[in-house]
Amino acid sequence: MKLSRKSDYALRALLTLVSNANRNPVSVRELAELNDIPRRFQEQIMLALKARGWVESVPGRDGGFLLAKPATEITLGQVVRHFDGLLAPIACVSTSHYEACSQEGRCRFRRVLFDIRNYVSRLMDQATLASLAQQPLVTQAEVFSSEFALGEGS
């Protein structure tokens, strides 16, 4: 599974709003700069987040965006499904974008991909914006751990 840029950028913006402890609105310009996102793209994403009810806009010179819901009520799974549509690694195990496959009756690797879909869905649906904001950052040492150095985790 690979996140789209829209999901990635939406999550960056939402987590910036979560960390906005002083509750002042954050402008699109500031969100774009802080998260290294093209401003026009950031504007489109914020409109989509607003339409979904996850953020609200505050007009005016000092306006911008705030979370419209508590960070405990928005999950990683909701955001990714909204922008990417599905979490399944292949269409024949997707509930929302199912496509039949001629090999379904005899496919030996479909079970693993089905289990991956279920595991990823569970993790993403349990991960709220609030819990993500509290997690430790992943280090480069973790990414390149010798446990996965030969491609097992790539």
Side-chain angles (χ1 to χ4, degrees):
M1 180 194 141
K2 183 176 180 181
L3 290 183
S4 69
R5 277 207 173 131
K6 278 188 175 180
S7 285
D8 180 8
Y9 291 170
L11 289 164
R12 291 183 200 189
L14 286 166
L15 286 163
T16 298
L17 296 178
V18 170
S19 67
N20 181 25
N22 61 10
R23 299 291 297 160
N24 290 328
V26 182
S27 71
V28 169
R29 179 191 52 75
E30 188 176 357
L31 286 168
E33 286 175 8
L34 287 169
N35 295 299
D36 195 26
I37 301 170
R39 184 175 173 166
R40 284 190 186 267
F41 205 13
Q42 185 68 74
E43 289 169 352
Q44 294 170 2
I45 290 166
M46 298 314 293
L47 289 175
L49 293 172
K50 182 179 176 186
R52 188 66 170 82
W54 290 326
V55 301
E56 61 185 339
S57 60
V58 178
R61 194 180 119 236
D62 295 325
F65 288 90
L66 297 167
L67 283 180
K69 291 180 129 184
T72 55
E73 293 180 18
I74 304 169
T75 69
L76 181 62
Q78 290 172 321
V79 176
V80 172
R81 282 187 192 94
H82 178 72
F83 287 100
D84 293 352
L86 63 123
L87 299 178
I90 56 175
C92 68
V93 297
S94 173
T95 57
S96 60
H97 292 80
Y98 172 81
E99 289 178 24
C101 172
S102 64
Q103 301 300 302
E104 284 181 17
R106 61 180 164 269
C107 181
R108 294 292 173 189
F109 60 86
R110 185 175 182 222
R111 170 64 56 189
V112 172
L113 297 173
F114 174 75
D115 291 344
I116 289 168
R117 180 208 74 182
N118 292 341
Y119 182 73
V120 168
S121 292
R122 256 190 308 279
L123 281 178
M124 292 180 107
D125 290 338
Q126 291 170 357
T128 66
L129 295 181
S131 69
L132 291 173
Q134 299 301 314
Q135 297 231 350
L137 298 175
V138 174
T139 65
Q140 208 167 24
E142 289 175 290
V143 172
F144 294 104
S145 166
S146 61
E147 181 181 355
F148 297 109
L150 299 175
E152 289 92 340
S154 56

